[in-house]
Amino acid sequence: CFFCLSNPQLAQHFIVSIGEESYVTTAKGPLPTSASHRLGCPAHVLIIPLSHSPTLASITDSATRKNTIAEMVKYRRCVATMLAQHGYTAVAFEISRHNGIHFHVQVIPVPDSKLAEVQREFENAAKTNGYTIIEKDEEDENGDSGNEEDFFKVYLGGKKILYISLPPEVRFDLQFGRKVLATILDLPERSDWKSCVQDEKDEIHDAEQFKTLFKVYDFSLQE
């Protein structure tokens, strides 16, 4: 698994922070570019549990599951706080499927000026694709996770989320979240990450720039 830290082939130059139960990397083939905004790097990151599990609910040890959920939420909120200082909202999405490989959350900066478009575009795209999307308040994810069903979830900032249940009969586009955000950010040509892969020099630069921006918000660096 290319998300497991124990994998000797893991591209370690993407890693920007390692916690007790999860870690953060910059994205391979990021949606934004350094030229897309004023952050000096794409700031498209993944928050990944250390446990090799397709869903958070499938982490078998209850203490590890609870601590992983809490730490991933903390990372997401710290990234959101950092981005907010620069005029961006952290729009995050995740796909939880029992036939997946290694669960992760993607976080992409969206200019505050475009935030009003996010919910509308996700709802329109869901309707076009035949998905049923509902609005929810964010659950108290610092506790245990009892949600065993498969789902797609978007965090819109604040406590609002959009939620799509994924029963077995639903065929879901794994690039759905990225494609919608590519439309919102006026980057439709970057909807496929495979066409956005950079050379290693640029990947290293972007990771180092993100670490610089995130340093004062990174709880893993605090004693």
Side-chain angles (χ1 to χ4, degrees):
C1 172
F2 286 97
F3 283 155
C4 285
L5 285 183
S6 60
N7 184 345
Q9 298 184 55
L10 180 72
Q12 297 193 12
H13 63 274
F14 288 106
I15 299 172
V16 294
S17 180
I18 301 177
E20 295 293 328
E21 304 289 352
S22 59
Y23 70 105
V24 182
T25 76
T26 49
K28 187 177 182 68
L31 174 54
T33 69
S34 296
S36 300
H37 45 53
R38 56 184 179 274
L39 294 169
C41 63
H44 177 176
V45 298
L46 279 62
I47 306 171
I48 305 167
L50 296 180
S51 297
H52 177 71
S53 300
T55 70
L56 292 177
S58 63
I59 298 175
T60 54
D61 181 78
S62 61
T64 299
R65 182 170 61 250
K66 182 176 180 178
N67 292 338
T68 299
I69 293 167
E71 188 174 89
M72 292 182 71
V73 170
K74 188 174 182 179
Y75 263 131
R76 175 167 53 80
R77 291 176 177 169
C78 286
V79 173
T81 300
M82 181 272 285
L83 290 175
Q85 297 301 310
H86 299 272
Y88 294 87
T89 295
V91 175
F93 63 88
E94 60 191 57
I95 303 172
S96 180
R97 302 201 317 169
H98 283 79
N99 64 351
I101 297 174
H102 196 132
F103 180 83
H104 60 279
V105 177
Q106 297 194 48
V107 185
I108 295 175
V110 173
D112 289 344
S113 60
K114 288 182 171 286
L115 186 58
E117 301 176 34
V118 176
Q119 182 167 353
R120 181 177 68 249
E121 290 296 334
F122 269 103
E123 289 175 340
N124 289 341
K127 183 177 180 180
T128 298
N129 286 275
Y131 307 144
T132 300
I133 192 167
I134 60 175
E135 181 180 323
K136 289 187 175 184
D137 290 328
E138 185 177 340
E139 304 93 339
D140 179 13
E141 292 182 322
N142 290 301
D144 210 342
S145 175
N147 191 349
E148 297 288 348
E149 74 173 5
D150 292 350
F151 60 83
F152 171 83
K153 186 187 295 185
V154 186
Y155 298 86
L156 300 177
K159 293 293 184 180
K160 185 185 291 187
I161 64 172
L162 299 177
Y163 185 94
I164 299 174
S165 177
L166 300 177
E169 66 273 13
V170 172
R171 297 187 63 182
F172 187 72
D173 180 0
L174 298 181
Q175 301 304 314
F176 177 72
R178 181 175 176 124
K179 288 177 178 178
V180 175
L181 288 173
T183 298
I184 294 166
L185 297 174
D186 300 317
L187 297 169
E189 74 282 358
R190 297 184 65 83
S191 61
D192 184 350
W193 72 269
K194 294 178 183 177
S195 66
C196 303
V197 175
Q198 304 165 284
D199 62 41
E200 187 170 313
K201 180 180 178 181
D202 289 334
E203 293 171 344
I204 292 171
H205 170 272
D206 290 345
E208 291 301 318
Q209 175 64 13
F210 184 86
K211 281 194 282 188
T212 299
L213 292 171
F214 191 52
K215 184 176 181 179
V216 298
Y217 306 92
D218 188 351
F219 58 86
S220 75
L221 300 178
Q222 301 170 9
E223 296 183 359

